[in-house]
Amino acid sequence: MRFRRLCAAVLLAALIPVPSTANAATTCEDVYTPVQFGLIQQTMYGRLCVPQGARSVQVLVPGGTYTSGYWDIPVDGETRSVTRAMNGAGVATMAVDRIGSGKSTKPLSVLVDVPSQAQAVHQVVQNLRSRFAKVLVGGHSIGSAIAMAEAGTYHDVDGVLVTGMTHQWDYVRAVPALTNLIPALLDPKLSLRGLDVGYLTTAPGTRYTMFHAPGPNIASVVSLDESTKDVVSAGEFVTTALMSNLVLPVSAAIDVPVMTVQTSADYFCGTPPLGADCSSAQALVNSEKPFYGRAPRLDGFVVNGYGHVFNFDTKTADRYHAAVVAWQRTI
């Protein structure tokens, strides 16, 4: 009799879910997803981190010359980590490497553009659908163009996070910055990959001026950024401009809530039409809202005092991360 009661107690305990907390243990794993990429098969790498009991996941796409590591920057502990902030709030994350970069496969650069990247991310989203109640897609810079294209084309996500990208660009500042790009085959380190001439990276020693200024010039941060830099295809740049700018933006087809997070010092902020109005969160929303005609809601957050890659900023990290978590909880 005592044995039967013990068995019943064990069975009951197994059937009752254990409540999760924001500090619950998080399990991370490397995931290699086979994806159709245009007409060919490729593999997209992602780092999936799942807090105990997580019911939602963010698929995070980095910008050009960055990898999935942009979302979990290994300096100063967790301060510069979006993924750890989300995981700590009970939200799972899947930070991916764009096709052509990082641990993902590397086809000819002529095949690598925003629509094909969006197609690959779509398949990652589909694989996560069976596991999570909500799937959101987010990006930074070119990664944001990919996230918008995925959401606007496939309509399979519950929300879109857009960072480091608006529909109004300050070309006076943006175009000169692009002169710092060189073919990856001319870079002392990346030339060893044997990539074709259509893959680009930043010239050595230019990343602080191009991406971080006017933020603090911290040697350890800039050194890390330089040592982990990656590539971007010329096609990604061209299709980003075509699909994310004033003429027929792909965002017009997005029909789920959107949050736009920008830094006022970026090439994408300024005086419209040369940059969106990033003087405040509400001004940013007002400036960008016309480009999200079908989205039921647009929220905004503005970072001040840092350049394009503001995931490296520590001054506003806590407020920025909290704003994203709060937005997601209302979806």
Side-chain angles (χ1 to χ4, degrees):
M1 180 66 71
R2 183 176 299 176
F3 177 74
R4 290 180 180 176
R5 289 177 180 173
L6 177 60
C7 290
V10 171
L11 178 60
L12 182 61
L15 293 175
I16 298 176
V18 178
S20 62
T21 66
N23 296 318
T26 297
T27 302
C28 295
E29 61 180 313
D30 294 329
V31 179
Y32 294 85
T33 305
V35 295
Q36 193 67 30
F37 192 77
L39 299 177
I40 58 178
Q41 191 84 12
Q42 296 293 317
T43 301
M44 176 167 270
Y45 166 81
R47 181 69 171 168
L48 176 63
C49 291
V50 183
Q52 184 179 355
R55 292 179 50 79
S56 62
V57 61
Q58 294 178 359
V59 179
L60 300 170
V61 188
T65 77
Y66 285 89
T67 67
S68 53
Y70 177 71
W71 303 101
D72 185 19
I73 300 167
V75 286
D76 292 348
E78 299 181 7
T79 307
R80 293 182 170 93
S81 176
V82 170
T83 57
R84 296 189 191 187
M86 297 302 111
N87 298 159
V91 178
T93 53
M94 170 74 108
V96 302
D97 288 343
R98 300 177 343 276
I99 297 294
S101 68
K103 298 178 182 178
S104 293
T105 49
K106 299 165 181 63
L108 293 173
S109 63
V110 70
L111 302 173
V112 182
D113 57 19
V114 168
S116 55
Q117 296 281 20
Q119 180 186 20
V121 172
H122 162 63
Q123 292 162 80
V124 172
V125 168
Q126 288 298 299
N127 285 349
L128 293 170
R129 268 290 172 196
S130 62
R131 185 170 178 179
F132 297 94
K134 290 184 179 179
V135 181
L136 293 87
V137 65
H140 180 262
S141 194
I142 283 175
S144 283
I146 295 168
M148 289 189 287
E150 197 287 334
T153 302
Y154 300 101
H155 304 284
D156 60 350
V157 294
D158 299 286
V160 184
L161 174 65
V162 176
T163 77
M165 173 70 69
T166 70
H167 294 81
Q168 302 167 82
W169 301 7
D170 185 348
Y171 292 101
V172 176
R173 290 187 296 151
V175 172
L178 296 180
T179 62
N180 291 321
L181 293 171
I182 61 172
L185 59 83
L186 299 180
D187 185 80
K189 178 181 177 182
L190 296 178
S191 61
L192 301 177
R193 295 187 184 179
L195 300 172
D196 66 71
V197 70
Y199 281 107
L200 310 174
T201 191
T202 52
T206 62
R207 290 181 83 82
Y208 171 74
T209 300
M210 189 173 182
F211 293 140
H212 298 265
N217 192 344
I218 302 173
S220 60
V221 170
V222 178
S223 176
L224 172 71
D225 194 10
E226 182 69 33
S227 66
T228 57
K229 72 179 182 181
D230 211 274
V231 300
V232 61
S233 77
E236 286 178 289
F237 270 116
V238 172
T239 48
T240 290
L242 293 175
M243 300 177 73
S244 308
N245 223 310
L246 295 171
V247 181
L248 298 177
V250 68
S251 60
I254 296 174
D255 55 6
V256 292
V258 177
M259 182 170 191
T260 175
V261 181
Q262 310 299 329
T263 173
S264 57
D266 206 351
Y267 313 112
F268 303 105
C269 291
T271 303
L274 293 179
D277 184 351
C278 302
S279 57
S280 68
Q282 188 58 54
L284 173 60
V285 169
N286 294 342
S287 188
E288 283 290 284
K289 196 169 185 178
F291 305 101
Y292 295 98
R294 294 182 61 190
R297 201 177 89 217
L298 177 64
D299 292 273
F301 184 86
V302 175
V303 174
N304 292 303
Y306 209 90
H308 183 56
V309 292
F310 55 83
N311 275 9
F312 284 88
D313 184 32
T314 58
K315 291 184 178 179
T316 57
D318 290 344
R319 292 190 293 113
Y320 155 38
H321 298 159
V324 173
V325 170
W327 164 74
Q328 175 158 339
R329 287 175 175 166
T330 64
I331 295 176

